[in-house]
């Protein structure tokens, strides 16, 4: 027996595990201090009433012989897939139901989708980047190259035709930087991918925060994307399903190579390795798209948007450079005074008892930057901003 040696190339500790250990150690030494957390992007508002009602109704169905459900379709029930297709149609995107695959979250699918691709494929990821993109490919032993996202390009790198890549990761609005591509910018990436014969793995987990029509809520709003892009979406941030677990991935039937269909391969992969999302969770997810559900969820999103605005206004007042906040729940700020990312993390924790995420944890270009999240409660966000203002105004 031999273990996968590629795991030796992965960081021993996931970024947020390191943060948790640091905060736990500080709290143990200073039990009298109240620590405010604006680090991990977890939601704080409860599920919408329409979602809870659908959950309860589905649970009651499971208690009756006539309506009990056992194994469901691995790719998701039609009632949810049809609702998702209708959601896309509102944005001018036509999808067949069998191009939509329901899952337990975007993170899982982003890690699992690489089962479809050859190990010798070259992976292009932006730096800084969501660690899962890198770690899952390191585990698989693939070569990874980086596209520089920097202050100079607003953390929105564009394609370089001198670079050859097979698998391209794009997240917009971006985690961690909060920056979002326009449709015109994404068209350049789509053209590049089609020219190179590459596939774009497009993470749209935060599309619900986009309000500007020039920005893309789906990469399929861009001409040519259906021949080169797989899109990953989530109910986690859209509807607070971080603890309920539900997402979906769109694999167009027009993505083919060497006589193989990515859509058929993903269906085969899921039917072999995945048993589907629980019926009750899918009923809850379908409620997200009902008129009442959408109204309630819009109110929850507005709550987080107000938090983002509060953080952004505080940083503007302090003269701190940042991206994100307007079309994203994340605010990516330049560490004041030339501090390093972990140095600023310790400085905030020790002097203001506020926790964020060091940019260095997202890549080389993240050094000197710091991420704050708008997913905290309004009370915590307001108090955290007051503490930061008092600290950085000195």
């Amino acid at each position: 027996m031999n273990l996968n040696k590629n795991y030796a190339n992965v960081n021993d500790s996931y970024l947020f595990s390191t943060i948790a250990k640091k905060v736990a150690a500080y709290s143990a030494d200073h039990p009298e201090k109240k620590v405010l957390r604006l680090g991990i992007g977890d939601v704080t508002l409860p599920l919408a009433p329409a979602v809870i009602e659908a959950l309860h109704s589905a649970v009651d169905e499971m208690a009756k012989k006539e309506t009990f459900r056992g194994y469901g379709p691995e790719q998701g029930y039609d009632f949810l897939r049809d609702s998702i297709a209708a959601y896309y149609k509102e944005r001018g995107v036509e999808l067949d139901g069998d191009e939509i695959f329901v899952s337990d979250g975007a993170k899982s699918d982003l890690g699992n989708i690489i089962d479809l691709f050859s190990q010798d494929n070259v992976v292009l990821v932006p730096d800084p980047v969501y660690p899962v993109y890198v770690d899952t490919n390191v585990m698989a032993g693939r070569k990874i190259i980086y596209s520089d996202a920097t202050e100079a390009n607003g953390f929105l790198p564009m394609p370089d035709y001198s670079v050859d890549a097979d698998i391209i990761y794009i997240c917009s609005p971006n985690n961690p930087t909060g920056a979002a591509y326009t449709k015109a910018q994404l068209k350049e990436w789509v053209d590049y991918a089609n020219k190179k014969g590459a596939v774009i793995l497009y993470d749209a987990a935060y599309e619900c925060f986009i309000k500007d029509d020039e920005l893309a809520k789906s990469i399929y709003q861009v001409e040519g994307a259906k021949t080169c892009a797989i899109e990953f979406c989530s109910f986690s941030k859209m509807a607070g399903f971080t603890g309920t677990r539900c997402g979906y991935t769109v694999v167009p039937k027009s993505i083919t190579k060497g006589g193989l269909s990515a859509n058929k391969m993903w269906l085969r992969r899921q039917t072999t390795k995945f048993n589907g999302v629980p019926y009750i969770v899918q009923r809850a997810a379908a409620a997200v798209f009902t008129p009442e559900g959408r109204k309630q969820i819009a109110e929850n999103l507005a709550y987080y948007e107000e938090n983002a605005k509060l953080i952004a206004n505080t940083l503007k007042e302090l003269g701190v450079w940042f991206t994100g906040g307007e079309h994203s729940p994340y605010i990516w700020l330049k560490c004041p005074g030339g501090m390093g990312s972990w140095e600023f993390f310790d400085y905030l924790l020790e002097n203001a008892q506020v926790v964020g995420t060091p940019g260095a944890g997202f890549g080389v270009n993240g050094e000197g930057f710091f991420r704050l999240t708008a997913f905290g409660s309004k009370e915590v966000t307001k108090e955290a901003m007051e503490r930061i203002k008092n600290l950085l105004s000195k």
Side-chain angles (χ1 to χ4, degrees):
M1 184 274 287
N2 290 311
L3 295 175
N4 183 349
K5 293 181 180 179
N6 293 311
Y7 275 67
N9 299 320
V10 181
N11 289 333
D12 288 338
S13 178
Y14 188 49
L15 169 63
F16 297 105
S17 299
T18 303
I19 291 171
K21 289 176 183 176
K22 276 180 165 281
V23 174
Y26 177 84
S27 296
D29 292 338
H30 304 279
E32 77 285 358
K33 300 285 189 180
K34 178 184 177 184
V35 176
L36 305 177
R37 301 169 190 265
L38 296 181
I40 294 177
D42 195 3
V43 295
T44 49
L45 293 178
L47 294 170
V51 171
I52 292 296
E53 184 178 345
L55 270 173
H56 280 297
S57 178
V59 168
D60 288 340
E61 286 184 55
M62 299 298 277
K64 300 173 185 176
K65 185 176 180 179
E66 298 76 19
T67 51
F68 172 79
R69 306 286 183 119
Y71 289 124
E74 293 91 344
Q75 62 270 41
Y77 285 98
D78 285 343
F79 63 77
L80 179 53
R81 297 165 89 194
D82 290 346
S83 295
I84 294 168
Y87 181 62
Y88 272 88
K89 193 169 184 178
E90 292 175 11
R91 291 170 269 173
V93 176
E94 296 281 350
L95 294 176
D96 293 338
D98 57 0
E99 292 180 307
I100 299 166
F101 297 82
V102 178
S103 73
D104 60 355
K107 180 180 178 180
S108 298
D109 281 359
L110 282 159
N112 293 330
I113 198 74
I114 59 175
D115 283 3
L116 273 56
F117 305 107
S118 172
Q119 189 176 6
D120 61 5
N121 280 173
V122 176
V123 179
L124 177 65
V125 296
D127 181 337
V129 68
Y130 180 44
V132 170
Y133 306 159
V134 174
D135 291 350
T136 52
N137 282 287
V138 170
M139 291 171 181
R142 285 191 182 83
K143 179 182 177 181
I144 301 171
I145 56 177
Y146 295 90
S147 177
D148 285 328
T150 64
E151 182 179 355
N153 60 26
F155 289 94
L156 292 170
M158 298 305 294
D160 178 353
Y161 279 84
S162 68
V163 174
D164 291 324
D166 304 300
I167 301 170
I168 303 161
Y169 284 85
I170 295 177
C171 178
S172 181
N174 185 267
N175 178 14
T177 69
Y181 281 107
T182 64
K183 294 172 186 174
Q185 289 172 321
L186 279 181
K187 182 66 167 70
E188 294 187 42
W189 275 110
V190 166
D191 290 346
Y192 169 82
N194 281 321
K195 176 88 171 177
K196 295 288 185 179
V199 65
I200 294 173
L201 302 183
Y202 189 78
D203 186 348
Y206 305 97
E207 58 82 18
C208 55
F209 289 93
I210 289 177
K211 301 294 187 292
D212 188 337
D213 286 339
E214 288 189 9
L215 303 177
K217 290 178 76 70
S218 166
I219 196 168
Y220 302 123
Q221 293 174 300
V222 176
E223 184 183 359
K226 283 190 177 181
T227 57
C228 68
I230 296 173
E231 183 163 287
F232 305 82
C233 296
S234 171
F235 290 95
S236 288
K237 309 302 163 53
M238 175 191 191
F241 275 52
T242 53
T244 314
R245 308 309 307 143
C246 193
Y248 55 94
T249 293
V250 178
V251 186
K253 286 179 277 192
S254 48
I255 297 180
T256 60
K257 193 68 174 282
L260 295 172
S261 161
N263 179 279
K264 289 182 179 178
M265 290 172 67
W266 185 241
L267 174 62
R268 188 68 178 88
R269 189 267 173 207
Q270 292 298 80
T271 54
T272 301
K273 294 188 176 184
F274 184 58
N275 251 354
V277 176
Y279 171 73
I280 61 173
V281 173
Q282 292 194 55
R283 278 296 181 194
V288 169
F289 298 108
T290 64
E292 193 61 31
R294 294 182 73 160
K295 177 177 177 292
Q296 294 164 359
I297 284 160
E299 292 170 357
N300 286 356
L301 290 174
Y303 179 95
Y304 296 129
E305 288 162 356
E306 283 298 315
N307 284 347
K309 189 180 296 184
L310 175 59
I311 296 171
N313 288 341
T314 301
L315 295 177
K316 286 176 185 176
E317 187 177 334
L318 292 168
V320 175
W321 187 93
F322 68 93
T323 60
E326 186 176 2
H327 301 290
S328 167
Y330 297 120
I331 293 85
W332 179 254
L333 64 99
K334 192 171 185 178
C335 297
M339 278 190 267
S341 297
W342 283 104
E343 181 185 4
F344 186 58
F345 175 90
D346 292 335
Y347 181 71
L348 267 189
L349 178 59
E350 292 168 9
N351 295 283
Q353 292 76 54
V354 173
V355 177
T357 308
F362 297 101
V364 174
N365 291 332
E367 178 55 68
F369 292 87
F370 201 77
R371 192 191 78 174
L372 294 174
T373 172
F375 285 123
S377 71
K378 193 157 289 184
E379 296 73 25
V380 166
T381 303
K382 183 177 180 182
E383 186 176 348
M385 290 307 101
E386 289 174 354
R387 292 185 188 183
I388 288 175
K389 188 188 299 185
N390 291 335
L391 177 63
L392 299 185
S393 297
K394 292 178 181 177

